[in-house]
Amino acid sequence: MEFIGVIPKDLAVGRLWPQIGALVAAALPYGRGEYTLADIHDGIARGEMFALGAVMGAEVEFVMTCTVSTFPRKRVLYVQYGAGRGGARAKEALIAAARTLGCDWVETRCRETVARLYRRAGFETGYQVCIFEVPA
C-alpha cells in the first residue's frame, strides 16, 4: 500500500492504528490535554475525525488527525495533531481534503517550531492563541 491522503477509517482504526497511535501519542503532550489517544481513536471510528497521512509500503510515515469546525460564515479543516516525517508531502492531500469537505481554510494550533514548518509550506499566522488555565 502506498498513498498520501485521507486514510480510510477501517484502516486508520484497524490495521494501521498501532502505527498511527504511536505517532499521535508522541504529539499528545503538546496538545495540553485536550484529547487522549482513546478520544482520537474513537473520534475517527465514529467519523467525527479522520486521519490523513503518508503511507509507504506497510509504514505510516506521517499522520495528521483532523476535524471540521463549522462557523456561521466559514468552514474550517482543523488539524489537531501531526507527527512523523515527510509531512510536507501531505500538503496537497490536506488541501484536497479541505476542498472536498467544502472548507474555506486549514487551521492548526502548534508550537513555534512547528509553526515555522507550516509557514515554509505556505501557511500564515492568522492569530495568536492565548490560554489562561482556570484555577481549581
Side-chain angles (χ1 to χ4, degrees), residues 58-106:
E59 182 184 0
V60 178
E61 290 185 353
F62 183 83
V63 69
M64 291 181 219
T65 63
C66 307
T67 190
V68 175
S69 296
T70 303
F71 300 95
R73 303 200 189 294
K74 298 291 179 181
R75 192 166 161 88
V76 178
L77 178 59
Y78 178 65
V79 177
Q80 300 155 310
Y81 295 100
R85 63 185 194 288
R89 291 192 316 240
K91 179 184 175 186
E92 291 306 316
L94 190 60
I95 292 168
R99 281 189 185 123
T100 298
L101 293 166
C103 293
D104 297 291
W105 66 69
V106 177

Side-chain angles (χ1 to χ4, degrees), residues 122-135:
F123 283 67
E124 62 182 53
T125 301
Y127 51 84
Q128 300 292 316
V129 176
C130 299
I131 296 172
F132 178 82
E133 300 257 352
V134 179

Side-chain angles (χ1 to χ4, degrees), residues 18-74:
Q19 291 180 69
I20 290 171
L23 288 169
V24 173
L28 280 177
Y30 303 105
R32 303 182 59 88
E34 294 161 339
Y35 295 94
T36 65
L37 200 54
D39 295 332
I40 297 291
H41 179 276
D42 296 347
I44 294 170
R46 288 189 306 268
E48 297 165 1
M49 303 173 186
F50 64 93
L52 181 144
V55 180
M56 300 301 158
E59 182 184 0
V60 178
E61 290 185 353
F62 183 83
V63 69
M64 291 181 219
T65 63
C66 307
T67 190
V68 175
S69 296
T70 303
F71 300 95
R73 303 200 189 294
K74 298 291 179 181

